């Protein structure tokens, strides 16, 4: 898992990326705007032994569950060593921030793009502009579940437990009346 975090997100007290960093054993986080010359990231992207995809809903994106399948028959899994190692890049920021990252880093547009099936977000203390928009931690959990249901179920539960605790703590601190007024 590779996360490209917009600088604005690093300032948010309720960022979910720290939970991901502490929870996932293979999670690299790069913070900033311009990743065009980030050598480690570029090395990963250009490594023929790694299949890299960007979690981003472009019009040409395919469902993440089809990532790594052979064209024609999605049930056929690739057998080459090159396609067995995968890296998913996730952008962390508001939709406006993410569009900025896409513009500044044109190499991202050249990557295979995958999207998540529409899921209901559970981040009750942030307002999503549209239904189905998830926090970064929810998107990562859903991606893990879609790519490998058995592994993903365990990992998704491990990721979302501290996330749910964080939400409940914030609601408790703001009080029920404030929460209902602003988020219901």
């Amino acid at each position: 898992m590779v996360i490209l975090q917009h600088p604005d997100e690093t300032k948010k007290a309720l960022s979910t990326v720290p939970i991901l960093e502490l929870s996932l054993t293979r999670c690299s986080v790069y913070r900033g705007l311009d990743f065009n010359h980030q050598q480690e990231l570029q090395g990963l992207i250009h490594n023929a032994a790694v299949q890299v995809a960007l979690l981003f809903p472009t019009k040409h994106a395919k469902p993440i569950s089809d990532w790594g399948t052979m064209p024609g028959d999605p049930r056929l899994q690739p057998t080459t060593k090159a396609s067995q190692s995968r890296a998913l890049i996730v952008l962390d920021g508001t939709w406006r921030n993410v569009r900025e990252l896409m513009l500044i880093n044109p190499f991202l547009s050249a990557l295979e793009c995958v999207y998540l099936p529409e899921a209901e977000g559970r981040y009750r203390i942030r307002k999503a502009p549209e239904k189905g928009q998830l926090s970064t931690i929810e998107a990562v959990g859903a991606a893990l579940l879609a790519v490998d249901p058995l592994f993903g179920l365990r990992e998704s539960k491990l990721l979302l437990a501290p996330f749910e605790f964080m939400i409940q703590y914030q609601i408790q601190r703001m009080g029920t009346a404030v929460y209902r007024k602003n988020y219901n």
Side-chain angles (χ1 to χ4, degrees), residues 60-82:
H60 301 294
K62 64 182 179 179
I64 193 165
S65 57
D66 291 349
W67 179 33
T69 57
M70 300 207 40
D73 187 351
R75 294 170 296 173
L76 298 175
Q77 293 297 320
T79 56
T80 63
K81 182 175 179 359

Side-chain angles (χ1 to χ4, degrees), residues 16-123:
T16 60
V17 169
I19 298 171
L20 289 169
E21 285 181 290
L22 293 170
S23 301
L24 297 175
T25 55
R26 292 190 301 173
C27 179
S28 299
V29 179
Y30 300 96
R31 293 171 173 90
L33 287 173
D34 186 350
F35 302 104
N36 288 292
H37 305 290
Q38 209 302 322
Q39 291 180 348
E40 188 176 323
L41 176 62
Q42 293 300 325
L44 174 72
I45 289 170
H46 294 97
N47 184 341
V50 180
Q51 185 180 13
V52 179
L54 175 66
L55 184 61
F56 195 73
T58 65
K59 62 182 177 179
H60 301 294
K62 64 182 179 179
I64 193 165
S65 57
D66 291 349
W67 179 33
T69 57
M70 300 207 40
D73 187 351
R75 294 170 296 173
L76 298 175
Q77 293 297 320
T79 56
T80 63
K81 182 175 179 359
S83 60
Q84 289 177 347
S85 182
R86 297 189 273 183
L88 183 65
I89 297 177
V90 178
L91 305 177
D92 181 54
T94 64
W95 283 103
R96 184 180 197 170
N97 293 155
V98 167
R99 283 191 290 276
E100 182 180 16
L101 289 175
M102 292 293 289
L103 286 171
I104 292 172
N105 301 281
F107 70 89
L108 293 172
S109 298
L111 296 173
E112 175 182 12
C113 289
V114 294
Y115 69 88
L116 295 168
E118 191 168 311
E120 188 67 35
R122 296 161 40 179
Y123 206 170

Side-chain angles (χ1 to χ4, degrees), residues 141 144-146 148-160:
L144 291 171
L145 193 56
D148 185 346
L150 293 177
F151 172 78
L153 182 61
R154 183 179 68 88
E155 291 297 307
S156 183
K157 285 181 179 180
L158 289 173
L159 291 176
L160 294 177

Side-chain angles (χ1 to χ4, degrees), residues 31 47 73 126-127 133 136 143 153 155 158 167 179 184:
R31 293 171 173 90
N47 184 341
D73 187 351
R126 279 201 186 161
K127 295 179 183 179
Q133 293 183 339
T136 301
L153 182 61
E155 291 297 307
L158 289 173
I167 293 168
Y179 172 71
N184 269 346

